[in-house]
Amino acid sequence: MKKRLIVIGGGAAGFFCAVNAARLCPQLEVLLLEKTGKLLSKVKVSGGGRCNVTHAAPDIPYMSKHYPRGQHFVKKAFGRFFVPDTIQWFADRGVMLKTEADGRMFPVTDSSQSIIDCLLREADQYKVKVALHQDVTAIQQQENGRWQLTLQQGPPLQADYLCVAAGGYAQADKFAWLKATGHQVEAPAPSLFTLNTPGHAITALMGVSVPLAHVKVAGAKLQEQGPVLITHWGMSGPAVLRLSAWGARDLQQLQYRFTALINWTPAFNENTLREELQALRFSLGPQKMFNKNPFELPQRLWQFLLLQSGITDATRWADMPAKAQQQLVKNLAAMELPVQGKTTFKEEFVTCGGIRLTEINPSTMESKLARRLYFAGEVMDVDGITGGFNFQHAWTSGFIAASSIAAQEEA
């Protein structure tokens, strides 16, 4: 009788485990269970529908520094399956990837469907069975070592190997069925979210993007630099999303109520900016400030900051009042934005928290507490910042689990 692997979760990590296990171990029956009616839903929406497959990291130490939780764990795992392996895996199946200026990697088609179709073809080729609307409510290891899965609907299922790739959960109680196996869970918290500044005048600039700004949480060490996007609810963009990832637990404790300090001109601090403005008063003296933007900021933002500083469209550089100049320094280099709440970043939400990493072997993804139980993806306490890092962890952990199961079966 064929031995069976059941993979719980039809996302990137679960699919990668299932198709690779079926390919590496043809005598294994592989069944993938997905509790919703959709497969690979995060893959579909990632990168605005283009799928940010991975990140073009020069080496493992560089890559691992982009994971607020799980740095040491992924560093060990990446030794077994890393970015070049991901690129080659998809290339071998006709899906070529390209690298953008910021290191993010996408399929050359600029369509997430290329990745989805590739994985579905692989599942079909190696006879992976897929069952939708299958919600697992309990797992239990029996005396013979096999796993029994209790489903919300339908009879129990049996498996010789089990890989849990069920994604992250927003509430701790959702992990109860996994804690019943003896595993400890790090409490979940949202990561990768945007900052809400309700009622603030800057939201009138929705759609304005600044290529390089510095964002800091007042009274904390949390800070990030990079592109910032002004939205109708507040602040978004890579710098804000990275800040939310690194500060996931701290910002949760603050109940997402704090002051964000934004330096729109990160080449300057308040002191050097004051000197620069003084020099500009002389060099640009007769010119109107509204018309001359020396910091290459978006024009709408520049004029907004001038008005917020008490500077009108008729003010010339030479005539800028001292009080207005001081306020402009503040608005340019340390603008205070009161944050009151957060918004999940599109459908690309990520949670930190999950199965405690000390209970998982990073070289095999097997549980240290229960034999033939494996984990892959976000269900573990690993999360990366935006830029392809979470998907690379998904591919890596899924592949390692698959190859470890295949090696056990071949032994």
Side-chain angles (χ1 to χ4, degrees), residues 20-265:
N20 281 294
R23 177 178 58 87
L24 294 169
C25 192
Q27 69 270 30
L28 197 63
E29 179 194 341
V30 181
L31 171 61
L32 184 145
L33 305 178
E34 167 57 39
K35 71 177 180 180
T36 72
K38 294 180 181 178
L39 297 169
L40 301 163
S41 54
K42 274 195 188 179
V43 172
K44 188 165 185 64
V45 299
S46 161
R50 295 194 298 146
C51 188
N52 186 181
V53 177
T54 185
H55 196 93
D59 53 41
I60 290 173
Y62 172 89
M63 189 81 169
S64 63
K65 287 175 183 172
H66 293 78
Y67 294 82
R69 267 83 32 194
Q71 285 190 25
H72 299 299
F73 186 88
V74 298
K75 190 181 286 188
K76 292 176 183 174
F78 287 155
R80 294 208 56 196
F81 191 89
F82 192 43
V83 175
D85 303 302
T86 300
I87 296 167
Q88 190 62 53
W89 193 95
F90 283 105
D92 288 345
R93 289 151 183 84
V95 180
M96 310 306 293
L97 304 182
K98 62 177 179 178
T99 305
E100 301 203 337
D102 58 5
R104 293 180 302 159
M105 298 194 73
F106 296 89
V108 294
T109 59
D110 277 328
S111 173
S112 58
Q113 199 61 43
S114 301
I115 302 298
I116 293 170
D117 290 345
C118 174
L119 293 170
L120 291 175
R121 279 195 305 271
E122 198 79 356
D124 186 55
Q125 181 178 347
Y126 294 103
K127 298 179 172 56
V128 174
K129 296 176 182 174
V130 177
L132 302 177
H133 303 291
Q134 300 293 313
D135 191 3
V136 178
T137 57
I139 57 174
Q140 187 174 18
Q141 194 163 32
Q142 300 171 304
E143 287 185 11
N144 62 5
R146 297 191 87 209
W147 287 91
Q148 178 165 297
L149 288 72
T150 304
L151 304 178
Q152 194 168 47
Q153 293 181 318
L157 296 174
Q158 302 281 325
D160 298 280
Y161 301 95
L162 184 60
C163 179
V164 178
Y169 292 112
Q171 290 90 30
D173 60 351
K174 299 282 189 184
F175 285 97
W177 63 287
L178 292 171
K179 291 175 77 172
T181 64
H183 280 280
Q184 297 295 307
V185 170
E186 302 295 346
S191 182
L192 294 188
F193 50 83
T194 60
L195 306 179
N196 295 353
T197 57
H200 196 283
I202 199 166
T203 57
L205 302 182
M206 57 179 281
V208 170
S209 179
V210 179
L212 186 65
H214 186 272
V215 186
K216 186 178 188 304
V217 175
K221 292 181 179 178
L222 285 168
Q223 53 189 319
E224 277 293 330
Q225 192 162 292
V228 169
L229 172 67
I230 301 169
T231 71
H232 67 275
W233 61 82
M235 294 288 137
S236 185
V240 170
L241 295 171
R242 287 199 295 267
L243 185 83
S244 77
W246 287 106
R249 296 207 180 279
D250 293 335
L251 300 181
Q252 186 184 48
Q253 286 186 342
L254 293 172
Q255 297 183 311
Y256 310 105
R257 278 164 170 72
F258 57 92
T259 299
L261 300 174
I262 300 190
N263 185 345
W264 300 107
T265 54

